[in-house]
């Protein structure tokens, strides 16, 4: 709740006072039908996820988070934005088996904490799916700053209500030693996390983000065992998490492959050939009649700089085969033009 209040306040100053980011066109209908449900599930994921820390260890929580792709895939299939596929289903089954083995090997297994964490995972998955379904349907694109600007205040309300009804009555203020700098630095870390996500997404590709996520999981588990002595890891924990991690890596590979495959048909073959010719500077291989050069010069010079952007993480099609096909198509087009 403190995180949401702090993040919402900082986002307000960045958007309204310093005007670093422009707000999107937000109507009451969009806010009520999109932002409020997303904020509700976001608050639920925070509430259940943080409550789990009171019952189970940090390392085991991180192992349970391997279920995130499973929950996201199931929610996407139920909401109709993804299709049930055999290869993805086998990966999800592998992840689930790994998590079950890891749970069986947990020394301090707690059913209540596990239920809290799994509930928080599915709430987060539903939030991600709703974000894609509701916001994209409305044509809205929110970066982390504008997301905090709209979602954080609403999430604060959803977190304030259960805190006031459930936690505040049992809190004894006299026994609480409130350290301002601990809470402030903690809120700064939460805010920096959102900004770092924005920078990583803007400066890297999908492969880098997913690999970094896997590396982060291992670092968290290793650090938790050092910092918190009660986070004891058994051999069965490691085996189960390794199995689940293999499924997560395979799932990430499938998703990145699907993204690349969906991007390739967006370019026509002549456009792709033109980019390769400009990039490799092999224009001498093309026979261009003079009259065609004049016609093309008068009408084809409106290409933007964005047409020359090349996805470094997208494999290029074989240049020799593509060049042969391209020359044939271009020759036919010029013959028709004559």
């Amino acid at each position: 709740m403190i995180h949401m209040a702090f993040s919402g306040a900082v986002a307000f100053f960045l958007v309204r006072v310093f005007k670093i980011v422009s707000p999107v066109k937000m109507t009451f209908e969009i806010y009520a039908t999109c932002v409020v449900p997303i904020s509700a599930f976001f608050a639920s994921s925070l509430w259940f996820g943080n409550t789990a820390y009171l019952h189970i260890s940090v390392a085991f929580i991180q192992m349970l988070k391997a279920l995130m792709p499973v929950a996201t895939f199931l929610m996407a299939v139920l909401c109709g934005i993804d299709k049930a596929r055999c290869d993805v289903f086998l990966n999800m089954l592998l992840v689930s088996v790994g998590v079950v083995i890891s749970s069986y090997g947990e020394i301090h297994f707690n059913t209540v904490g596990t239920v809290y964490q799994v509930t928080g995972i599915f709430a987060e998955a539903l939030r991600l799916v709703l974000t894609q379904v509701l916001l994209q349907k409305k044509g809205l694109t929110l970066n982390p700053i504008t997301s905090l600007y709209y979602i954080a205040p609403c999430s604060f309300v959803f977190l304030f209500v259960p805190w006031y009804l459930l936690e505040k009555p049992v809190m004894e203020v006299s026994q609480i030693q409130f350290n301002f700098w601990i809470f402030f630095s903690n809120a700064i870390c939460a805010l920096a996390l959102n900004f770092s996500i924005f920078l990583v997404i803007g400066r890297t590709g999908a492969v880098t983000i997913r690999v970094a996520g896997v590396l982060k999981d291992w670092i968290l588990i290793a650090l938790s065992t050092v910092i918190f002595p009660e986070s004891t890891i058994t051999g069965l924990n490691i085996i189960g998490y390794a199995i689940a991690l293999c499924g997560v890596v395979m799932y990430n590979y499938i998703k990145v492959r699907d993204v690349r495959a969906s991007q390739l048909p967006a370019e026509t073959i002549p456009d792709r050939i033109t980019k390769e010719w400009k990039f490799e500077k092999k224009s001498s291989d093309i026979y261009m009649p003079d009259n065609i050069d004049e016609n093309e010069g008068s009408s084809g010079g409106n290409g933007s700089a964005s047409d020359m952007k090349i996805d470094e993480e997208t494999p290029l099609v074989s240049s020799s085969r593509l060049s042969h096909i391209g020359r044939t198509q271009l020759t036919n087009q010029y013959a028709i033009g004559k």
Side-chain angles (χ1 to χ4, degrees), residues 32 93 111 123 164 167 171 182 194 217 221 229 294 333:
L93 185 63
T111 305
Y164 186 81
E167 293 185 359
M171 291 175 61
I182 290 180
N194 288 283
D217 294 340
I221 293 174
E294 295 173 357
Q333 290 177 1

Side-chain angles (χ1 to χ4, degrees), residues 30-109:
I30 296 177
Y31 193 88
T33 58
C34 297
V35 176
V36 172
I38 292 173
S39 301
F41 284 105
F42 184 42
S44 300
S45 67
L46 293 175
W47 185 15
F48 288 113
N50 288 333
T51 306
Y53 284 93
L54 302 176
H55 302 276
I56 53 181
S57 65
V58 177
F60 185 51
I61 285 177
Q62 205 59 39
M63 294 178 186
L64 288 176
K65 286 184 179 180
L67 286 172
M68 190 65 200
V70 180
T72 305
F73 176 70
L74 292 177
M75 292 296 104
V77 172
L78 291 177
C79 293
I81 65 173
D82 203 347
K83 296 181 180 179
R85 295 163 43 183
C86 182
D87 53 353
V88 178
F89 177 77
L90 292 177
N91 285 333
M92 299 300 99
L93 185 63
L94 184 64
V95 173
S96 302
V97 170
V99 172
V100 170
I101 295 175
S102 180
S103 302
Y104 183 77
E106 176 65 18
I107 297 177
H108 306 291
F109 182 81

Side-chain angles (χ1 to χ4, degrees), residues 247-294:
V248 172
V249 171
M250 292 175 63
Y251 173 77
N252 290 339
Y253 170 76
I254 291 175
K255 298 304 289 185
V256 172
R257 185 190 63 186
D258 292 345
V259 170
R260 288 176 174 176
S262 64
Q263 289 175 350
L264 286 177
E267 288 183 327
T268 61
I269 292 181
D271 292 339
R272 186 80 176 200
I273 298 160
T274 303
K275 291 182 180 180
E276 288 188 358
W277 282 336
K278 290 181 180 180
F279 184 73
E280 297 175 4
K281 296 183 179 179
K282 292 184 179 180
S283 58
S284 59
D285 295 339
I286 314 169
Y287 172 70
M288 299 288 288
D290 295 336
N291 56 347
I292 295 177
D293 288 339
E294 295 173 357

Side-chain angles (χ1 to χ4, degrees), residues 138-161:
K138 302 293 184 180
L140 294 178
T141 302
L142 300 179
N143 59 46
I145 298 178
T146 52
S147 297
L148 290 175
Y149 176 73
Y150 292 109
I151 294 176
C154 192
S155 297
F156 170 81
V157 175
F158 280 111
L159 290 170
F160 178 82
V161 173

